[in-house]
Amino acid sequence: MIGLTDTPIDHAALVAAVSDPEHGGIATFIGTTRRESDERPVAALRYEAYDELAVTELRAIAAEAAGAWGARIAVVHRRGEVAVGEPSVAVAASARHRPAAFAACRYVIDELKARAPIWKQTVHADGGTTWIDGCTTDHAHVQGSTPHA
């Protein structure tokens, strides 16, 4: 189970996908939308991806982790709008022993963040938006009202 989705992430399905009677450890990571970013209230996050390339990169990252730690990997990332408290990304890794499962899980999320063509836009409660690269659109200002700090 490796891919992108427009629907809520099913954590149990990821764990089931990596379950193996030969593996004694399963590590998971779930990244959720925080209520605040840069001291501004957040309404949601929006994700866009270059789908084909993102999935290819996720598969490559999973294969690297599998090779390095003998792990089974599942990873799913959301596209579209993700509300506060909802998962944006989830990784599950199983391995013979817990240190390998933890290492594989951490490797996958760290490499995904560094390499996958998936872009995040913060939607602030005041209507403004901020892309992860720092590009901002302050809708409140554009509409003529006072910008929020």
Side-chain angles (χ1 to χ4, degrees), residues 55-122:
V55 171
T56 297
E57 198 62 35
L58 293 177
R59 286 183 179 138
I61 293 165
E64 291 162 12
W69 291 282
R72 291 185 68 176
I73 304 295
V75 55
V76 176
H77 201 296
R78 288 282 302 269
R79 282 184 307 230
E81 191 160 301
V82 182
V84 170
E86 288 185 15
S88 298
V89 61
V91 177
S94 71
R96 289 187 58 77
H97 302 286
R98 82 177 169 275
F102 282 129
C105 186
R106 178 160 193 158
Y107 178 82
V108 171
I109 191 61
D110 288 348
E111 290 299 305
L112 177 158
K113 291 293 204 176
R115 296 167 37 188
I118 301 169
W119 302 280
K120 175 172 68 173
Q121 181 184 46
T122 302

